[in-house]
Amino acid sequence: MQKTPAECATMADIRAEIDRLDRALMMLFAERWGYIERAAEIKRPLKLKADIPARVAEVRENVRRSATEFGLEPEFYDRLWSQLIDHAIAHERKLLGEDQG
């Protein structure tokens, strides 16, 4: 049964909840990745590039705003999302054939 941090009485409880959350995060990352792949499929016939700077800026601003809203460090999550974005753009470039020639 899921516990809140205050309901955890032992380190085993804490570890179980962290493991549960890590798995849930991976499921969300996998879901997000599906959208990245679909974006490349949609971009191809539209002749759109993998890297759309205005969208990258928008996503990073959204992350910073959400981090602040949840009491997290915006700079840390901006750096983390920057890596996610860079990885997604590199993958889209491969799918779109932008990394050839």
Side-chain angles (χ1 to χ4, degrees):
M1 181 176 171
Q2 181 176 327
K3 296 180 179 182
T4 66
E7 293 170 332
C8 291
T10 66
M11 285 306 299
D13 290 346
I14 296 286
R15 290 177 181 133
E17 292 306 314
I18 288 173
D19 291 348
R20 177 187 62 76
L21 288 169
D22 286 349
R23 182 159 175 77
L25 287 169
M26 286 300 145
M27 287 174 49
L28 289 171
F29 283 133
E31 181 180 351
R32 188 181 194 281
W33 196 253
Y35 289 102
I36 298 302
E37 294 203 340
R38 182 65 179 134
E41 292 172 1
I42 291 172
K43 286 177 178 182
R44 182 176 289 112
L46 298 174
K47 306 287 190 224
L48 294 174
K49 297 286 187 184
D51 187 3
I52 300 174
R55 177 59 182 155
V56 170
E58 179 183 19
V59 170
R60 290 181 70 181
E61 182 55 35
N62 289 343
V63 165
R64 293 178 70 80
R65 186 174 30 259
S66 292
T68 300
E69 177 184 342
F70 290 108
L72 301 170
E73 297 177 35
E75 296 79 14
F76 172 80
Y77 290 93
D78 181 49
R79 287 191 308 272
L80 181 62
W81 250 253
S82 179
Q83 289 184 337
L84 286 171
I85 292 165
D86 289 348
H87 186 61
I89 288 171
H91 184 66
E92 279 190 36
R93 282 185 172 137
K94 287 179 189 172
L95 293 175
L96 295 171
E98 290 180 21
D99 62 347
Q100 299 172 4

